[in-house]
Amino acid sequence: MIQVYSKGNENVRHSYCALFNTEFTSYCFGVSDGRYKWDIKKRYSDFASLDKELTKRFPKVMLSVSSLPSRTAFGSMSPSLINARQKALDLYLKELVSRTDLANSSLVVDFLEVPIEAALDRNEDGEADYYRGVGGSGSGTSPRTELSNAPTSVGSSVRVRAWQQEAEAKWGEREASLL
């Protein structure tokens, strides 16, 4: 099961052509599936886009998930607002990953930036399914064979296929199949 925990936030300032300045808050989260750990940074707009797409795809399920904090036009850089929003976003993510139907959706998997290794180490139910024979366990199969036969989480097979097609386009079918 995927776990998510808040790691704080940071204000980011970008300058474009020395004429335009923009400032926004990046919310930082740690993600773990029990074996792998990684960090993600997301803007509020990323959460709003995810929520919109999840509501389209899972309208009944999303009724039971906490709403995102409201968007504010002014004062959005105040520390109290940022901290309150961080807590609300943390709760929102925890609710998403606690529901198997949402946690295994390609939208959430992509949003959480699940690494390919973690996606390949999950069985069809989305639970961790680690292949102890990979890498010389004496099982008689190569790591490549075991990983190519490994079940993937919902959405990860689509990404893997896209990466394979990209590699084939870049290097040709024969060289890409050796990856």
Side-chain angles (χ1 to χ4, degrees):
M1 176 175 207
I2 291 180
Q3 296 178 340
V4 179
Y5 50 94
S6 176
K7 292 187 81 173
N9 53 67
E10 60 185 42
N11 291 334
V12 179
R13 172 173 271 164
H14 280 291
S15 296
Y16 301 100
C17 302
L19 297 174
F20 302 103
N21 291 318
T22 183
E23 193 171 4
F24 60 88
T25 301
S26 180
Y27 298 92
C28 308
F29 294 89
V31 186
S32 172
D33 73 345
R35 183 174 183 187
Y36 298 96
K37 292 181 181 181
W38 62 97
D39 294 335
I40 60 171
K41 292 182 180 181
K42 301 290 182 179
R43 295 176 66 166
Y44 178 84
S45 59
D46 298 325
F47 281 91
S49 296
L50 173 67
D51 189 66
K52 182 179 177 181
E53 291 302 314
L54 285 172
T55 302
K56 280 184 200 174
R57 195 176 292 177
F58 304 99
K60 290 180 182 177
V61 175
M62 289 302 289
L63 289 173
S64 64
V65 175
S66 296
S67 298
L68 287 177
S70 60
R71 182 173 230 133
T72 57
F74 300 102
S76 62
M77 298 303 285
S78 75
S80 62
L81 175 71
I82 291 170
N83 289 334
R85 188 177 273 177
Q86 178 81 41
K87 289 178 184 176
L89 295 175
D90 184 49
L91 175 64
Y92 178 81
L93 280 180
K94 286 179 179 177
E95 287 183 22
L96 292 183
V97 300
S98 71
R99 299 202 45 125
T100 305
D101 46 355
L102 295 175
N104 288 335
S105 76
S106 60
L107 294 169
V108 174
V109 169
D110 290 343
F111 184 84
L112 295 177
E113 302 172 17
V114 175
I116 188 66
E117 297 87 4
L120 290 175
D121 276 353
R122 303 181 75 72
N123 67 23
E124 293 166 355
D125 297 324
E127 298 298 322
D129 190 273
Y130 304 114
Y131 293 89
R132 289 169 179 60
V134 174
S137 67
S139 64
T141 59
S142 72
R144 184 178 186 283
T145 302
E146 288 197 26
L147 286 178
S148 65
N149 293 332
T152 56
S153 65
V154 175
S156 63
S157 60
V158 173
R159 286 195 311 278
V160 170
R161 242 187 331 274
W163 294 333
Q164 183 68 25
Q165 289 170 346
E166 184 179 318
E168 288 172 359
K170 186 173 183 178
W171 296 303
E173 188 174 336
R174 183 183 174 310
E175 287 78 12
S177 68
L178 298 175
L179 295 177

